Amino acid sequence: MTSSDSPDNAAEIPETPAARTGVAAMDWAAASADPQYRAAVVDLLGALAYGELAAFERLAEDAKLAPTMADKAELAKMASAEFHHFERLRDRLAEIGEEPTQAMEPFVAAYDGFHKQTAPSDWLEGLVKAYVGDSIASDFYREVAARLDSDTRALVLAVLDDTGHGGFAVEKVRAAIDADPRVGGRLALWARRLMGEALSQSQRVVADRDALSTMLVGGVADGFDLAEVGRMFSRITEAHTKRMAALGLAA
């Protein structure tokens, strides 16, 4: 994703490989025999693929707002990494016999709606959006990845690798706040709005896709129970607070 964070800022997700059971201990060939699990994974890969494609497009747009040629070049490099992630997901969908465009289609409206509601007005808002907004999505997908079969889990974690946007955004935003402290208040309000919009869109997507919602609350793989869903969102919120601090903003 655009701004997957360093381990210090990412949500701390319990990782106990030796204790994996059920689907999480299987490979794709074994796990995909369950048609509901297969449907959940297709949804997940479709959502991720469109998210990466949208991130590529947004970075290209953000580059137009960049104040220097060096900044433009840095964003272009990040956009290229996002497109590579998209290609990996697209190719995986095709490999398992799914049409990538059809797998992505159910998530177009949600992603496009989020980006329409949170269009940045300037360069700094664009950086904060990539760092904060996309990282919330990355945390969510990392939570889900812990419950996936080994092949799908490896792919999902690979495409969530940091493209460098996190550190880049922190450096630029903190420098802007140092130059003009008034910028911090405006960007803090913006980040809180992003948090609310991102969580609302995520909840709507899950509610609309039966296989994904079943995976989260139990019934597919080693799904979350309702108490674990609450703990998951607490971890995501805590990670958001850490990112805000890294930016020099109040949560």
Side-chain angles (χ1 to χ4, degrees):
M1 301 298 286
T2 301
S3 56
S4 302
D5 293 316
S6 65
D8 288 342
N9 285 333
E12 296 180 2
I13 302 164
E15 181 67 13
T16 53
R20 286 194 177 115
T21 59
V23 171
M26 300 179 187
D27 62 11
W28 170 252
S32 61
D34 180 342
Q36 192 174 28
Y37 176 76
R38 180 187 177 90
V41 169
V42 171
D43 272 354
L44 183 67
L45 297 184
L48 268 170
Y50 191 71
E52 296 291 347
L53 185 58
F56 161 74
E57 292 177 326
R58 192 177 68 255
L59 281 170
E61 287 296 313
D62 287 350
K64 298 177 183 178
L65 300 173
T68 70
M69 189 66 70
D71 291 334
K72 290 180 185 292
E74 189 68 22
L75 288 180
K77 182 175 72 174
M78 295 173 193
S80 176
E82 298 293 358
F83 192 76
H84 177 61
H85 290 166
F86 161 73
E87 289 180 314
R88 291 189 64 179
L89 291 158
R90 177 199 63 193
D91 293 348
R92 178 56 176 168
L93 283 163
E95 182 182 344
I96 64 175
E98 300 293 333
E99 212 295 311
T101 301
Q102 291 180 6
M104 291 188 287
E105 185 60 36
F107 308 99
V108 171
Y111 271 104
D112 289 357
F114 171 72
H115 292 308
K116 183 177 180 180
Q117 292 295 323
T118 58
S121 63
D122 61 20
W123 158 252
L124 291 174
E125 286 190 1
L127 290 178
V128 171
K129 177 178 176 179
Y131 181 59
V132 173
D134 289 355
S135 292
I136 294 168
S138 292
D139 287 344
F140 173 78
Y141 288 126
R142 288 180 188 278
E143 293 275 358
V144 175
R147 272 70 180 175
L148 299 173
D149 67 89
S150 59
D151 297 319
T152 305
R153 181 170 62 247
L155 173 61
V156 169
L157 293 178
V159 299
L160 295 177
D161 277 349
D162 188 7
T163 62
H165 204 111
F168 181 76
V170 168
E171 177 187 350
K172 297 297 180 180
V173 170
R174 291 190 74 99
I177 294 172
D178 288 342
D180 182 1
R182 293 173 299 178
V183 169
R186 173 171 66 87
L187 293 180
L189 289 173
W190 172 245
R192 285 195 284 273
R193 178 183 168 193
L194 290 169
M195 176 70 168
E197 290 285 350
L199 290 179
S200 294
Q201 288 289 0
S202 297
Q203 290 166 354
R204 281 196 287 270
V205 167
V206 171
D208 288 344
R209 306 301 294 177
D210 290 343
L212 278 180
S213 61
T214 302
M215 175 181 282
L216 282 174
V217 300
V220 175
D222 295 330
F224 301 105
D225 59 24
L226 291 177
E228 178 58 20
V229 170
R231 289 190 290 271
M232 175 188 74
F233 280 108
S234 292
R235 289 192 293 269
I236 291 173
T237 300
E238 181 180 354
H240 169 72
T241 300
K242 291 180 180 179
R243 291 189 187 99
M244 293 284 281
L247 287 169
L249 303 175

